[in-house]
């Protein structure tokens, strides 16, 4: 008597049966078939006390069924079937298959982003999880158990008798049998819609996703496999399927058969349901929790996992599962070429092969460690009961619903807690890393972060030398603060005042000075430092500082301008003055700029300016101390010696134990008495604390910085924090942290973490960063550097410096990509040397001249008017027989464009002279409106409408 033909359960697509014919009929039969052998064992165990059958199972797995006294007959039959390996099993191929998977460091990505989402997308297949009441809540534990099981199976001899993988496989098989029994007893299972619980088709499909599906995912990620490796991985999971109770007809022998069976499965499966979306959403959240353990992952959101999964499973399936549309899907095609290159190297290098064999398993061990996936190391315990799912236990069914629920909890309803208002003064590294630390809380609505900054960009000072010498475009050293602090708010205005008592900050916008008031609960001070313009005379008027982007951009254009002027200059003295460049300060910035300038001028004299000879250029580095790079002198003196040797090889002049005494329009005056005629003085020394700190009634150190405790909190205030150049943060090794970028970055992260801990009434964490390393480029692919005290120099140090700058100090991916393109374009096309001319002065500015300097040479005309602010000026005539004093000017007098001089007369400073220079056009415009303006200014009076005569 033949068995009646089974019909297609209502939860599947019946159309597939019509199209696929005989194959579909056989497939439908397997939807109703399970694993009678394992179910018989669990039925027998159900009649025993739990402790008894658990002990029987432990002995049978550890020592064999013959060691079990009075073993039940179903258990004996099951163990005999498991111990009798099919004739087709090849242990060597199994080992090769396991090694093939484990060498792939991205194997977890293939599992979590393709295999499991596809398995969860089967509506009937996911019902055992959904009906157990553990749809979402044990997602992390399920993922860790799955990863642990796969890792055990892929070990050498992972499925041999008495191995961990073999024991886990048997337990998984019995867990399936127990769940079938419990689901049918609970009354929740709808056989007419879903067929048998954990049927043969879904067991085979799960097995195929761990082999064929994983191979597809890894191939899309750029991995390369030989045919024998692909066949070996399929063979391994074919044997694992046999041990799990999959029938022989569904155990595919090769990858082609596996794809045919998967195509048949998906033809029958209906669209993903709410349970599918909830399971996958929980999987993505859990995977992202692991990704955030890595430093690069802290900059991302859960959209990264959705994007990678979308790229692997396809847009159609991703849309059906409710995945958000995100540009993170382009991560997969972006990393594919890199993975392909590494794989190609592996195929031809035994050393790379050995490294892959170690690195891949190590990545899985980290995944399964306490620092990896959350959850305990599961023992695959067979459940005694299942929780009945109620309507209240239903979870949000998609990413969109989960986000909506999160927003309702955060913002909806009366009496909800207001977000903590955090205001950060300054938009530098402290603010950027503070925003990163607070980003999850800002997204949840727990914190409202506002960053106040005069500029909406942050400048990467490590790239200034390359920008000045046209290796990269000017905008590449800037990054958008608004982009980097998102979703925090940027308040682009000037800080007027800080009212500590009332907890508010007053700002004014630059357009018209309109005022704004920002209240705060926590205030973070990260205003950095400012140039000290009091160090020597003329620094404000006649030097080029490198603090702001505007200063750097002005210097870049000035360098090209003086070369253009020198190329047409016929006066030898003025030509030498134009081609002399003085760099004040032998620190990192000064040495980098000076070295790059020499390299720059060598390039330009050879390719762009044939009128100029490289021998005419003079670059002088002035350092007040006995050695350059005083930051390294005490710790790594041999690196300083290497740098000094390199500087001399480049042709730089070093003036040690020498400082600037004054800067004028025509030269630099050194404290040694020497005068250097030059039109370009670059200052890289001397910072002072921001004047804004004067408004804080708290302790300051000798350099004017706010003193903080070891938590980066200002003593005497529970809600004011500080970091970066404006704060004296205690260094873990003693002293205070130096004004370097990576210390400011870590201070921002520390402050953010401590604000959250303070609001949660948790103990604060001390600032623990002790330094990473330092580097200084020495032009033409050469540098010195040290990482945690490990020194390097030459080309290796230069490559390391570029990598560190790109990854740590260029804070956005968009800017990194643009910067790398600039580097490549410069390498291929050369430097883009242009000067978009900008006025270097306004209509009125100050000028300083030292005694004896020529202000207006004989026969020269000027387009400026000069008003003497202080000092004495002589008009001297020289006709070859000697000099004759013709006249003089003192404070309050003026001369310039309208002053009539004989052809042999010049105007020269007798003492140090400070002049107010007024552009001729501006002076003419003023005179046209008020011809008496000069007289009125001299008298110090004003004329108002009330006093004017009619």
């Amino acid at each position: 008597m033949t068995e009646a033909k089974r019909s297609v359960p209502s939860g599947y697509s019946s159309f597939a049966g019509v199209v696929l014919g005989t194959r579909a009929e056989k497939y439908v039969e397997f939807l109703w078939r399970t694993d009678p052998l394992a179910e018989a064992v669990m039925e027998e165990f159900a009649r025993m006390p739990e402790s008894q059958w658990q002990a029987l199972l432990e002995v049978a797995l550890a020592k064999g069924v013959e060691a079990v006294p009075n073993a039940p007959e179903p258990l004996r039959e099951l163990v005999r079937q498991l111990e009798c390996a099919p004739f087709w099993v090849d242990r060597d191929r199994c080992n090769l298959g396991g090694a093939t998977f484990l060498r792939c460091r991205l194997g977890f990505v293939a599992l979590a982003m393709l295999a499991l989402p596809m398995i969860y997308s089967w509506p009937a297949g996911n019902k055992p999880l959904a009906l157990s009441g553990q749809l979402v809540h044990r997602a992390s534990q399920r993922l860790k158990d799955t990863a642990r099981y796969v890792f055990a199976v892929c070990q050498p001899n992972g499925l041999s008798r008495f191995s961990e993988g073999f024991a886990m496989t048997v337990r998984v098989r019995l867990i399936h049998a127990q769940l079938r029994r419990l689901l049918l007893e609970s009354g929740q299972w709808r056989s007419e819609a879903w067929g048998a619980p954990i049927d043969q088709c879904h067991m085979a499909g799960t097995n195929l996703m761990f082999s064929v599906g994983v191979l597809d995912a890894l191939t899309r990620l750029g991995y390369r496999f030989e045919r024998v490796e692909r066949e070996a991985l399929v063979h391994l999971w074919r044997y694992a399927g046999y041990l799990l109770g999959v029938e022989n007809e569904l155990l595919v022998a090769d990858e082609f058969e596996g794809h045919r069976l998967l195509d048949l499965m998906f033809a029958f499966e209906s669209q993903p349901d709410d349970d599918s979306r909830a399971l996958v959403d929980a999987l993505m959240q859990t995977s992202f929790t692991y990704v955030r353990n890595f430093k690069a992952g802290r900059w991302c959101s859960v959209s990264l996992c959705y994007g990678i999964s979308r790229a692997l499973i396809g847009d159609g399936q991703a849309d059906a599962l409710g995945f958000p549309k995100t540009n993170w899907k382009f991560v997969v095609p972006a990393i594919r070429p890199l993975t392909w290159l590494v794989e190609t190297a592996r195929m031809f290098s035994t050393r790379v092969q050995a490294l892959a064999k170690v690195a891949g398993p190590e990545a899985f061990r980290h995944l399964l460690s306490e620092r990896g996936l959350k959850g305990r190391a599961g023992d695959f315990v067979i459940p005694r009961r299942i929780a009945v799912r109620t309507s209240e236990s239903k979870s949000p069914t998609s990413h969109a619903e989960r986000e909506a629920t999160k927003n309702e909890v955060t913002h909806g309803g009366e009496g909800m807690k207001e977000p903590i208002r955090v205001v950060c003064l300054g938009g530098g590294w402290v603010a950027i890393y503070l925003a990163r630390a607070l980003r999850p809380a800002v997204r949840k609505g727990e914190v409202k972060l506002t960053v106040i900054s005069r500029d909406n960009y942050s400048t990467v000072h490590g790239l200034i030398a390359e920008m000045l010498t046209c290796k990269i475009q000017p905008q590449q050293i800037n990054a958008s603060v608004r982009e980097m602090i998102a979703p925090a708010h940027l308040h682009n205005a000037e800080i007027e005042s800080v009212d500590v008592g009332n907890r508010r900050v007053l700002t004014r916008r630059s357009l018209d000075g309109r005022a704004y008031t920002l209240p705060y609960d926590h205030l973070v001070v990260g205003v950095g430092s400012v140039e000290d313009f009091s160090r020597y005379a003329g620094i404000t008027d006649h030097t080029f500082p490198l603090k702001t982007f505007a200063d750097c951009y002005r210097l870049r254009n000035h360098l090209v301008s003086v070369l253009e002027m020198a190329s047409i200059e016929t006066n030898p003295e003025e030509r030498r003055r134009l081609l002399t460049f003085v760099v004040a300060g032998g620190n990192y910035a000064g040495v980098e700029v000076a070295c790059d300038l020499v390299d720059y001028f060598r390039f330009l004299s050879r390719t762009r300016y044939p009128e100029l000879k490289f021998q005419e250029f003079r670059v002088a580095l002035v350092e007040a101390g006995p050695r350059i790079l005083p930051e390294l002198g005490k710790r790594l003196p041999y690196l300083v010696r290497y740098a000094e040797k390199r500087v001399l090889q480049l042709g730089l002049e070093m003036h040690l134990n020498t400082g600037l005494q004054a800067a004028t329009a025509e030269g630099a005056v050194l404290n040694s008495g020497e005068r250097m005629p030059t039109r370009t003085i670059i200052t890289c020394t001397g910072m002072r604390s921001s004047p804004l700190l004067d408004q804080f009634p708290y302790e300051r150190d000798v350099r004017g910085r706010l003193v903080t405790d070891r938590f980066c909190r200002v003593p005497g205030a529970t809600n004011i924090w500080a970091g970066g150049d404006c704060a004296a943060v205690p260094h873990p090794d003693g002293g205070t942290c130096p004004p370097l970028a990576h210390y400011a970055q870590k201070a921002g992260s520390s402050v953010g973490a401590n604000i959250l801990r303070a609001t949660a009434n948790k103990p604060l964490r001390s600032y623990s960063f002790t330094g990473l390393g330092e580097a200084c480029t020495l032009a033409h692919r050469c540098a010195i550097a040290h990482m945690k005290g490990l020194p390097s120099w030459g080309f290796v140090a230069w490559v390391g410096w570029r990598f560190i700058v790109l990854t740590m100090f260029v804070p956005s991916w968009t800017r990194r990509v643009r910067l790398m393109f600039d580097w490549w374009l410069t390498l291929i096309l050369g430097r883009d040397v242009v000067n978009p001319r900008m006025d270097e002065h306004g209509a009125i500015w100050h000028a300083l001249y030292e005694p004896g300097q020529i202000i207006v040479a004989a026969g020269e005309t000027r387009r400026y008017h000069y008003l003497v602010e202080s000092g004495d000026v002589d008009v001297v005539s020289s006709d070859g027989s000697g000099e004759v004093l013709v006249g003089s000017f003192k404070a309050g007098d003026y001369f310039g464009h309208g002053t009539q001089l004989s052809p042999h007369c010049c105007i020269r400073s007798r003492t140090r002279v400070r002049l107010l220079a007024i552009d001729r056009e501006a002076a003419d415009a003023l005179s046209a409106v008020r011809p008496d303006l000069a007289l009125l200014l001299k008298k110090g009076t004003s004329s108002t409408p009330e006093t004017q005569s009619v």
Side-chain angles (χ1 to χ4, degrees):
M1 186 174 178
T2 60
E3 185 179 352
K5 184 186 296 185
R6 294 277 194 172
S7 61
V8 180
S10 61
Y12 294 85
S13 172
S14 58
F15 179 74
V18 177
V19 175
L20 299 175
T22 306
R23 288 180 60 222
E25 292 178 4
K26 290 184 178 180
Y27 183 83
V28 172
E29 289 299 317
F30 285 112
L31 290 174
W32 295 96
R33 287 157 69 171
T34 54
D35 183 7
L37 198 56
E39 290 164 10
V41 173
M42 293 314 302
E43 287 292 340
E44 189 70 27
F45 282 171
R47 301 187 185 99
M48 302 180 187
E50 182 181 2
S51 58
Q52 181 182 351
W53 66 259
Q54 289 279 14
L56 290 178
L57 181 60
E58 287 293 335
V59 174
L61 291 175
K63 300 180 180 180
V65 73
E66 300 302 328
V68 179
N70 302 318
E73 187 58 30
L75 180 61
R76 290 182 178 275
E77 291 183 18
L78 175 64
V79 173
R80 278 196 295 268
Q81 187 253 349
L82 293 171
E83 291 178 343
C84 182
F87 73 93
W88 45 261
V89 174
D90 185 334
R91 301 288 180 181
D92 291 335
R93 290 180 74 191
C94 289
N95 290 337
L96 176 60
T100 298
F101 175 75
L102 287 182
R103 72 170 168 80
C104 302
R105 285 182 65 91
L106 297 179
F108 170 71
V109 175
L111 281 174
M113 306 300 165
L114 184 140
L116 293 178
M118 297 300 282
I119 293 169
Y120 291 164
S121 71
W122 301 329
N126 67 47
K127 288 301 173 286
L129 283 173
L131 297 177
S132 67
Q134 300 296 325
L135 185 69
V136 172
H137 304 94
R138 297 190 73 247
S140 179
Q141 188 65 55
R142 284 201 307 273
L143 182 57
K144 190 164 190 174
D145 287 346
T146 302
R148 182 185 171 203
Y149 172 63
V150 171
F151 182 70
V153 169
C154 292
Q155 292 295 305
N157 298 314
L159 290 179
S160 62
R161 186 69 177 95
F162 306 118
S163 67
E164 183 184 24
F166 183 91
M168 285 185 181
T169 304
V170 176
R171 285 185 173 279
V172 170
R173 183 173 180 177
L174 293 177
I175 288 171
H176 288 169
Q178 178 75 335
L179 284 175
R180 291 188 197 100
R181 190 176 70 85
L182 295 175
L183 285 170
L184 292 173
E185 289 179 356
S186 70
Q188 298 183 92
W189 189 260
R190 293 167 49 206
S191 298
E192 72 283 358
W194 304 320
I198 315 180
D199 57 76
Q200 284 286 326
C201 293
H202 287 111
M203 286 196 297
T206 300
N207 209 50
L208 284 174
M209 292 310 304
F210 286 167
S211 56
V212 176
V214 164
L215 279 173
D216 288 346
L218 292 174
T219 302
R220 292 171 195 173
L221 288 167
Y223 283 94
R224 302 181 64 182
F225 302 102
E226 297 180 8
R227 181 176 179 180
V228 65
E229 291 178 321
R230 304 180 78 94
E231 291 176 350
L233 185 59
V234 174
H235 185 80
L236 171 67
W237 285 100
R238 182 188 184 190
Y239 182 38
Y242 169 82
L243 297 178
L244 285 167
V246 180
E247 296 190 19
N248 287 329
E249 289 184 70
L250 297 177
L251 294 174
V252 300
D254 55 40
E255 195 173 357
F256 175 74
E257 288 184 16
H259 279 294
R260 286 191 68 203
L261 181 53
L262 283 175
D263 290 342
L264 184 61
M265 287 192 66
F266 280 102
F268 269 96
E269 293 294 334
S270 57
Q271 286 293 310
D273 59 1
D274 290 345
D275 291 331
S276 301
R277 287 183 277 274
L279 278 166
V280 174
D281 190 49
L283 172 66
M284 295 300 149
Q285 297 287 345
T286 300
S287 301
F288 178 63
T289 301
Y290 172 65
V291 171
R292 279 187 59 84
N293 291 336
F294 300 94
K295 187 172 182 179
R298 297 172 191 170
W299 302 345
C300 309
S301 67
V302 71
S303 297
L304 170 66
C305 296
Y306 283 109
I308 295 174
S309 186
R310 176 180 282 273
L312 295 178
I313 69 176
D315 286 332
Q317 195 72 2
D319 291 338
L321 286 169
F323 282 16
K325 296 185 184 298
T326 171
N327 289 334
W328 283 112
K329 71 176 183 179
F330 297 111
V331 168
V332 172
I335 66 175
R336 185 183 300 135
L338 180 61
T339 310
W340 189 89
L341 287 173
V342 174
E343 282 290 284
T344 303
R346 178 192 59 81
M347 297 176 71
F348 293 100
S349 170
T350 55
R351 184 171 296 181
V352 179
Q353 290 174 10
L355 181 62
K357 289 179 181 179
V358 174
E362 187 61 32
F364 252 91
R365 292 188 186 95
H366 181 273
L367 180 76
L368 299 173
S369 69
E370 292 183 359
R371 296 177 297 166
L373 289 171
K374 304 301 179 185
R376 60 178 178 83
D379 297 322
F380 295 85
V381 176
I382 299 173
R384 292 178 295 171
R385 65 182 67 86
I386 60 173
V388 178
R389 185 173 77 166
T390 63
S391 58
E392 290 79 7
S393 65
K394 188 175 181 181
S395 300
T397 58
S398 69
H399 173 76
E401 288 186 25
R402 180 180 286 271
E403 291 299 316
T405 303
K406 186 189 302 181
N407 292 335
E408 288 174 12
V409 172
T410 304
H411 302 293
E414 296 181 2
M416 300 301 291
K417 184 178 179 181
E418 288 294 324
I420 301 163
R421 299 167 300 183
V422 179
V423 172
C424 180
L425 308 182
W429 289 118
V430 173
I432 293 168
Y433 277 73
L434 171 72
R436 290 179 181 177
L438 295 178
R439 185 168 291 154
V442 173
R443 286 199 175 113
K444 294 175 183 177
E446 298 171 356
V447 171
K448 180 182 178 183
L449 173 61
T450 303
V451 175
I452 307 175
S453 177
R454 176 195 305 119
D455 304 310
N456 74 339
Y457 61 85
S458 176
T459 300
V460 182
H461 286 83
L463 295 172
I464 284 177
E466 296 204 4
M467 187 275 273
L468 293 177
T469 54
C470 300
K471 292 180 181 178
I472 59 176
Q473 293 300 311
Q475 67 272 18
Q476 306 304 5
I477 69 171
N478 291 331
S480 169
V481 173
R482 184 175 292 276
E483 176 186 346
M484 291 183 292
I485 67 171
H489 177 63
L490 174 66
H491 187 86
N492 189 203
E494 290 275 359
I495 303 170
E496 179 80 7
S497 63
V498 179
D499 186 349
V500 176
N502 294 314
R503 296 190 176 187
R504 61 187 181 186
V505 179
L506 177 67
T507 67
R508 293 191 183 276
R509 68 183 188 185
S510 59
L511 179 65
D512 54 8
R514 183 175 178 178
Y516 299 87
T517 300
L518 282 75
Y520 64 83
D521 298 313
H522 287 268
L523 182 69
V524 181
V525 185
V527 292
S529 56
V530 298
E531 283 276 355
D532 183 4
F533 292 118
S534 64
R535 298 192 310 279
Y536 50 82
I539 184 173
T540 307
D541 309 313
H542 302 298
T543 66
F544 293 89
L546 300 178
K547 180 63 175 175
T548 67
F549 172 75
D551 295 331
C552 299
Y553 188 64
R554 186 165 63 93
L555 176 57
R556 174 186 166 116
N557 294 331
H558 171 82
L559 292 173
V560 180
S561 294
V562 294
L563 295 183
E564 295 291 353
M565 288 185 280
S567 67
I568 62 175
E569 183 57 55
T570 57
N571 186 313
E573 183 179 345
E574 179 60 21
R575 186 181 177 98
R576 281 193 298 272
R577 185 180 291 113
L578 288 168
L579 295 180
T580 299
F581 303 85
V582 177
V583 181
N587 53 15
Y588 288 126
V591 172
E592 287 182 348
V593 170
C595 291
D596 265 318
L597 283 180
V598 174
D599 193 46
Y600 183 44
F601 296 145
R602 180 180 285 110
F603 163 78
L604 292 181
S605 63
R606 187 177 66 248
T607 60
R608 305 291 176 87
Y609 293 90
E611 307 91 343
L612 305 177
K613 305 301 180 185
F614 177 68
Q615 292 75 15
E616 296 182 90
F617 288 91
R618 180 188 182 192
V619 180
L621 181 63
V622 178
E623 167 56 35
R627 305 288 295 273
I628 62 172
L629 301 176
E631 300 94 334
L632 283 178
K634 294 181 180 179
R635 291 172 293 158
L636 301 167
Y638 43 90
L639 287 183
V640 176
R641 288 194 294 270
Y642 178 90
E644 290 177 341
K645 181 180 178 181
R646 171 70 176 174
V647 164
L648 294 176
Q649 287 175 346
L650 289 171
L652 268 165
E653 294 182 18
M654 279 197 304
H655 296 260
L656 302 177
N657 295 308
T658 305
L660 275 183
Q661 180 176 314
T664 70
E666 297 187 349
V669 181
L670 308 184
N671 57 14
S672 62
E674 181 183 357
R675 293 190 178 187
M676 287 187 178
T678 180
R679 296 290 188 184
T680 308
I681 304 173
I682 304 169
T683 176
C684 304
T685 60
M687 295 291 167
R688 64 182 181 89
S689 59
S690 170
L692 187 67
L693 300 184
D694 296 337
Q695 301 186 24
F696 291 90
Y698 303 113
E699 183 183 358
R700 310 264 290 275
D701 71 349
V702 293
R703 296 170 57 185
R705 301 179 298 175
L706 278 177
V707 174
T708 74
D709 59 18
R710 58 194 177 95
F711 308 116
C712 298
R713 185 171 55 184
V714 176
T718 59
N719 65 333
I720 298 180
W721 315 74
D725 293 4
C726 67
V729 178
H731 195 286
D733 295 336
T736 57
C737 295
L740 298 176
H742 43 278
Y743 285 94
Q745 292 171 348
K746 296 302 180 181
S749 299
S750 180
V751 169
N754 278 335
I755 287 176
L756 295 178
R757 298 184 72 83
T759 55
N761 295 320
K762 294 181 179 179
L764 303 184
R765 289 181 178 172
S766 300
Y767 181 86
S768 58
F769 183 67
T770 58
L772 179 64
E774 297 162 274
C776 178
T777 59
L778 302 173
H780 204 65
R781 303 183 183 91
C782 181
I784 57 171
H786 78 91
M787 179 72 72
K788 291 288 187 180
L790 182 65
S792 63
W793 53 87
F795 180 73
V796 173
W798 178 80
V799 172
W801 166 83
R802 280 214 163 181
F803 177 78
I804 293 295
V805 168
L806 192 66
T807 55
M808 287 190 62
F809 300 112
V810 180
S812 70
W813 278 105
T814 56
R815 187 57 65 197
R816 288 172 188 159
V817 173
R818 294 177 190 274
L819 179 60
M820 286 190 288
F821 268 106
D822 257 23
W823 281 339
W824 279 107
L825 288 175
T826 300
L827 184 64
I828 297 170
L829 303 178
R831 310 190 197 199
D832 187 16
V833 183
V834 296
N835 176 18
R837 188 173 180 275
M838 301 175 64
D839 290 334
E840 294 189 4
H841 300 291
I844 301 175
W845 69 97
H846 296 279
L848 179 75
Y849 289 87
E850 287 294 294
Q853 283 193 311
I854 302 296
I855 300 173
V856 180
E860 186 180 35
T861 60
R862 291 291 180 98
R863 58 186 297 266
Y864 311 115
H865 295 276
Y866 295 101
L867 182 64
V868 181
E869 294 185 80
S870 63
D872 297 317
V873 177
D874 292 336
V875 181
V876 181
S877 174
S878 176
D879 56 2
S881 60
E883 292 185 349
V884 178
L885 181 63
V886 176
S888 63
F889 300 102
K890 59 182 182 301
D893 294 335
Y894 60 92
F895 61 91
H897 178 69
T899 304
Q900 300 297 322
L901 298 175
S902 65
H904 302 292
C905 289
C906 69
I907 300 178
R908 186 173 63 192
S909 59
R910 185 194 313 162
T911 62
R912 175 178 287 180
V913 176
R914 181 173 293 277
L915 304 176
L916 187 67
I918 306 173
D919 184 80
R920 186 184 68 190
E921 294 179 359
D924 291 345
L926 288 171
S927 298
V929 177
R930 295 296 300 270
D932 59 337
L933 183 60
L935 180 61
L936 293 173
L937 291 174
K938 188 173 181 180
K939 290 182 176 180
T941 61
S942 63
S943 179
T944 62
E946 290 78 2
T947 60
Q948 287 179 356
S949 59
V950 179

